[in-house]
Amino acid sequence: MEKASSVYSICGMCAVRCPIRVEIEGGRISWIEGNPHAVGIEGALCAKGSAGLAFEYDDERPQSPMIREGARGEGKWKKASWDEALDYIAKKIENIRTEHGSKAIAITDRGGPFTDLTKSFIKALGSPNYADHDDTCAKNVNMAVQSLLGYGRGDLGYDFANSKYIVLFGRNVFESLQVKEVNDIMDALQKGCKLVYIDIRATVTASKAHRFMMINPGTDYAMILALMNVIIKESLYDRDFVGKYFKDFSELESFITPYTPSWAEKETGIPSYEIINTAREAASAKPSVIFHGGWMLSRYIDSFYASRGLYMLNALLGSIETKGGLIIAKGAKDAGKKGLRSLGEGIPEPPDKIVDADMPNKSLGTGHIVNFYKAIKTGKPYPIRALFAYRYDPIASLPDPDEQKMVLNKLDLLVSIDVNYSQTGWFSDVILPEATYLERSNIIGMKKGQKPQFIMRRQSIPPRYDSKPAWEIFTLLANKLGAGQYFPWKNIEDIWNYQLEHTGYKIEDFYSKGFVTLSKDPILMPRDDIKFTTPSGKIEIISEKITKIGAKSLAEYKSPKRPTGDMFRLVFGRSGVHTHAQTQNNLYLNEILPENHLWINEKRAQEMGIANGDVVEVSTDGYTGKIKAFITPYIHPEAVFMYHGFGNDIPLKTRSFGKGLRDTKFQVGLLETVDPVGGGVAYLEAMIRVKKA
């Protein structure tokens, strides 16, 4: 009998990408667990990671290339060979280039540590148009922290394990979870750390908190301003840190004056003494305190300023680049090593600017997928006629799917490259099936942190169907599209050897653990010499970047609109067992949570004659659906809540087909409703009606 063997790899069941150990026996995956060599993981795995076995041996996923027949979204497909599918794409791209040039081609992906491949691919085609999913996730956070500290969101980590005080605004860490992060927080709580959670509903994270405060929807920024007011007016901030690193502190001191706890109580519904106590407790724990800047803060129309305020609170308490606070993530250079070679190193820069470089009234940054939609719709400043969607499902994740389809219908070519039948894939012209994360190797990734690492996802078993790994798909595409000289790879080892050139490491160095750690000890900058990458080199309260786009660095608070009558604000979020809209059809996870329900406040439900489990009708202008009610006192009376990602209408996914409702269908008219400064989609500005069915 064949002996079991192990491969160290990286999970692909969500975007966290935890390190794993995969056991193979008789050519089949027999076991998956967290990588025992990874600190903070040490064998642990979440429900989604454990369900990787069910995903691998599921036949309800794309098994070969498919070319659309009939109208987009009609569900009529022709099974194709790879040559057929690639030739179809190449012919369409050739026509687009002839008429509009290479800049009319765009790609969007999930982001993460392997994007050097997709960025290099679109660059090789001569187009600047790359966008990730951040408009629907962390764009506001990313822009906020860049404007303040110079670093992006991904350049800052949280030392939860050593923190003494953690404040989370809607960051539901125990359901929208990362295994290491959860373990670190639990370790901190056991050591006496206090956890404060502020949200419109009581989540699993609220159950772990020593203080939970239910806030009026859309008023997070008000409470953040009041917390700053207390810390500044009572001189609770870190005077040495502020004096050394802050630019324009006096501007903040003056601005914050009217935003008192008693003022905030009227806005937020949270008693002023709770705000005062939170500020004082946090200050007493400085600098080992964390105000989480937000993971996904694409929520309200002022979420950019809320996130910027949260990072200001960290800075005021000196909790940057310190044990138990926010750590500036270090890369290879910080560890005295050479970084990975980029696949795009020898590719000429595209001659054109990215499509949203000079759009009028634009928010901070470029590469906003929402702006790509605008260019597809209007043809301005120039048209986008082809879109590749790699491991990203904008129709399922962005607001108003019907409006999106009207826009995407203007494309000459829409290609989905994915391991699942996605909503975007179902509307595409071509589906190219990617091999699962257990069937493929990826390019080597860089994982920044206190102890930076090179990470490797290694193939555990051969593809079970006619699917291919991403590196091969993009290499084949590049060759078909006349850019083969930039993608000369014959196998993944060619790529790995190229990436590792000059680093001093070899492929074999990854086999024993799945990663290579570049520093034996954690790397911290000296406390008196922290480098910020803003134009001034300081923490910029008044940001040059924000001023350039005609916005305010310190924005006055505006009260949110409030629902009236039978209206509610629609709020959505994550379950601990599902990844966005990707896993609802998984055999194991579907059994645990097969559909979503609508959370309704107990008092409001009684007034409407709705009991727990009743079917209710949910409607907005142009769309109506039915869903079961979950009645609870633990949600704000002005809001209703549903888990994101349900309401699948792809019949090939039989377990999840027609179950629950898709929250984005109720976000009618919100596709271009973004935070005007950060650019993140303002999902939670949707108002809906609810009544007993």
Side-chain angles (χ1 to χ4, degrees):
M1 186 175 176
E2 186 181 333
K3 274 188 172 183
S5 59
S6 288
V7 171
Y8 291 104
S9 191
I10 298 170
C11 185
M13 292 297 287
C14 80
V16 176
R17 304 176 183 88
C18 292
I20 55 174
R21 184 183 75 86
V22 182
E23 207 165 280
I24 306 103
E25 199 167 357
R28 288 178 63 88
I29 308 291
S30 58
W31 181 252
I32 307 172
E33 66 179 8
N35 188 334
H37 300 294
V39 177
I41 299 287
E42 292 141 352
L45 208 58
C46 73
K48 292 167 289 187
S50 299
L53 268 170
F55 173 58
E56 176 57 44
Y57 294 105
D58 191 358
D59 61 358
E60 295 190 357
R61 57 182 171 93
Q63 298 179 17
S64 70
M66 296 162 70
I67 298 174
R68 172 176 62 84
E69 292 185 328
R72 278 187 175 137
E74 194 177 355
K76 293 182 178 178
W77 296 97
K78 171 192 170 186
K79 184 177 176 180
S81 68
W82 279 91
D83 275 341
E84 271 183 289
L86 295 171
D87 284 342
Y88 178 95
I89 292 167
K91 187 174 180 182
K92 291 277 188 180
I93 293 291
E94 184 183 347
N95 292 338
I96 290 165
R97 277 174 157 168
T98 299
E99 190 172 349
H100 303 286
S102 293
K103 64 180 180 295
I105 309 164
I107 192 167
T108 182
D109 67 17
R110 287 272 324 152
F114 307 124
T115 57
D116 186 40
L117 179 68
T118 42
K119 290 175 180 175
S120 299
F121 169 74
I122 197 69
K123 185 180 176 186
L125 297 191
S127 171
N129 287 314
Y130 165 84
D132 61 22
H133 78 298
D134 247 14
D135 280 3
T136 59
C137 187
K139 189 69 83 175
N140 286 332
V141 185
N142 198 29
M143 295 296 104
V145 68
Q146 277 189 37
S147 72
L148 190 71
L149 308 180
Y151 296 100
R153 186 204 68 166
D155 294 320
L156 289 170
Y158 298 95
D159 186 15
F160 285 115
N162 295 302
S163 188
K164 296 175 183 176
Y165 202 86
I166 300 168
V167 183
L168 306 172
F169 277 79
R171 171 66 180 118
N172 186 10
V173 290
F174 288 97
E175 289 184 89
S176 179
L177 60 89
Q178 303 180 54
V179 173
K180 184 181 187 306
E181 184 176 81
V182 167
N183 287 344
D184 285 350
I185 292 173
M186 291 301 293
D187 288 347
L189 295 179
Q190 287 177 352
K191 289 186 288 187
C193 174
K194 290 185 176 180
L195 174 63
V196 176
Y197 186 69
I198 301 116
D199 203 345
I200 60 93
R201 68 184 183 106
T203 64
V204 173
T205 304
S207 73
K208 304 290 184 186
H210 94 280
R211 180 180 295 141
F212 164 62
M213 290 173 269
M214 189 178 290
I215 193 168
N216 289 338
T219 65
D220 293 18
Y221 185 40
M223 183 167 179
I224 292 163
L225 291 172
L227 289 167
M228 280 197 279
N229 179 287
V230 176
I231 288 168
I232 291 173
K233 294 305 175 188
E234 295 188 7
S235 296
L236 302 175
Y237 56 92
D238 185 325
R239 285 182 168 274
D240 291 341
F241 191 89
V242 168
K244 182 171 182 60
Y245 292 114
F246 269 57
K247 178 175 171 285
D248 307 310
F249 175 69
S250 60
E251 298 263 6
L252 177 62
E253 197 172 21
S254 174
F255 169 78
I256 213 72
T257 301
Y259 298 113
T260 63
S262 56
W263 164 84
E265 179 176 340
K266 295 168 189 171
E267 286 293 327
T268 64
I270 294 173
S272 59
Y273 68 85
E274 291 278 24
I275 298 172
I276 293 167
N277 287 343
T278 301
R280 289 173 178 170
E281 286 177 0
S284 69
K286 68 176 182 291
S288 299
V289 57
I290 292 171
F291 283 86
H292 197 291
W295 183 264
M296 177 201 158
L297 216 66
S298 299
R299 295 174 180 267
Y300 304 110
I301 206 73
D302 63 357
S303 285
F304 169 84
Y305 289 111
S307 186
R308 197 164 194 264
L310 288 165
Y311 283 105
M312 284 183 194
L313 283 164
N314 287 298
L316 284 167
L317 298 179
S319 63
I320 298 173
E321 198 64 358
T322 187
K323 187 176 179 180
L326 276 63
I327 307 295
I328 297 167
K330 310 307 186 299
K333 187 177 179 182
D334 301 296
K337 308 283 185 180
K338 290 196 173 180
L340 299 168
R341 283 188 73 186
S342 170
L343 303 184
E345 191 178 285
I347 303 174
E349 290 297 326
D352 303 287
K353 288 184 180 179
I354 193 168
V355 75
D356 61 351
D358 298 313
M359 278 186 172
N361 305 315
K362 70 184 290 294
S363 51
L364 287 170
T366 57
H368 293 268
I369 185 66
V370 171
N371 289 340
F372 282 29
Y373 271 79
K374 289 178 183 177
I376 295 168
K377 183 169 71 173
T378 66
K380 297 177 181 178
Y382 56 79
I384 288 178
R385 306 299 299 182
L387 179 65
F388 291 86
Y390 170 59
R391 295 295 309 282
Y392 176 37
D393 188 2
I395 291 179
S397 59
L398 283 162
D400 203 341
D402 289 340
E403 171 66 16
Q404 287 190 68
K405 289 174 183 178
M406 288 174 63
V407 175
L408 294 174
N409 250 333
K410 292 179 175 289
L411 290 169
D412 297 325
L413 178 67
L414 178 59
V415 178
S416 172
I417 305 169
D418 211 330
V419 295
N420 290 299
Y421 289 117
S422 67
Q423 297 293 133
T424 304
W426 202 244
F427 196 72
S428 294
D429 303 304
V430 181
I431 295 175
L432 298 179
E434 185 184 28
T436 70
Y437 72 96
L438 294 165
E439 299 170 350
R440 71 175 185 263
S441 295
N442 283 81
I443 67 172
I444 297 170
M446 175 74 224
K447 185 179 180 182
K448 290 184 174 182
Q450 291 187 61
K451 296 168 73 173
Q453 297 177 336
F454 294 148
I455 57 173
M456 178 185 282
R457 173 180 281 144
R458 284 177 62 205
Q459 181 185 36
S460 300
I461 59 171
R464 294 177 55 243
Y465 300 118
D466 190 15
S467 59
K468 295 182 183 294
W471 71 264
E472 187 176 357
I473 294 173
F474 287 108
T475 297
L476 290 170
L477 279 167
N479 278 278
K480 287 283 185 181
L481 300 175
Q485 71 270 32
Y486 302 122
F487 278 70
W489 325 113
K490 302 299 181 188
N491 51 55
I492 190 63
E493 288 78 14
D494 283 352
I495 296 177
W496 288 345
N497 283 323
Y498 172 87
Q499 289 183 284
L500 291 171
E501 197 175 332
H502 310 307
T503 65
Y505 294 102
K506 304 184 299 296
I507 295 172
E508 293 77 18
D509 295 332
F510 292 83
Y511 291 170
S512 63
K513 293 183 179 179
F515 57 86
V516 169
T517 302
L518 306 184
S519 172
K520 183 180 177 183
D521 300 311
I523 305 169
L524 285 174
M525 297 181 195
R527 187 70 174 163
D528 61 352
D529 191 25
I530 300 173
K531 307 294 184 187
F532 295 102
T533 54
T534 54
S536 66
K538 293 193 175 270
I539 297 170
E540 293 192 351
I541 299 300
I542 305 302
S543 165
E544 189 178 308
K545 287 185 176 182
I546 298 175
T547 303
K548 275 183 179 176
I549 65 165
K552 294 181 177 180
S553 296
L554 296 170
E556 296 81 5
Y557 174 82
K558 294 178 182 177
S559 297
K561 61 183 178 182
R562 301 183 71 170
T564 57
D566 61 350
M567 300 291 287
F568 294 83
R569 186 184 290 269
L570 176 61
V571 178
F572 70 92
R574 294 272 301 281
S575 153
V577 299
H578 281 301
T579 302
H580 304 299
Q582 298 172 35
T583 59
Q584 284 75 12
N585 202 57
N586 183 284
L587 180 65
Y588 296 166
L589 304 179
N590 179 270
E591 187 175 332
I592 298 170
L593 188 63
E595 62 183 313
N596 57 354
H597 292 181
L598 190 73
W599 289 39
I600 307 174
N601 177 269
E602 186 177 68
K603 200 169 181 181
R604 293 290 301 274
Q606 286 174 356
E607 292 169 358
M608 296 186 292
I610 299 170
N612 195 47
D614 281 353
V615 176
V616 294
E617 185 177 279
V618 186
S619 62
T620 187
D621 294 339
Y623 185 71
T624 300
K626 292 181 180 179
I627 188 172
K628 290 177 184 175
F630 173 67
I631 309 306
T632 173
Y634 300 115
I635 186 169
H636 196 282
E638 292 182 7
V640 290
F641 169 89
M642 66 175 72
Y643 286 124
H644 174 69
F646 290 84
N648 161 46
D649 55 11
I650 300 171
L652 296 184
K653 295 161 77 171
T654 61
R655 302 177 202 101
S656 59
F657 181 67
K659 291 184 179 178
L661 288 182
R662 190 172 296 283
D663 54 291
T664 55
K665 287 191 173 183
F666 296 95
Q667 295 157 2
V668 175
L670 293 187
L671 179 58
E672 294 183 15
T673 302
V674 300
D675 184 299
V677 186
V681 176
Y683 283 111
L684 303 194
E685 299 298 339
M687 302 290 177
I688 62 171
R689 289 183 176 82
V690 178
K691 67 178 182 180
K692 190 172 181 178

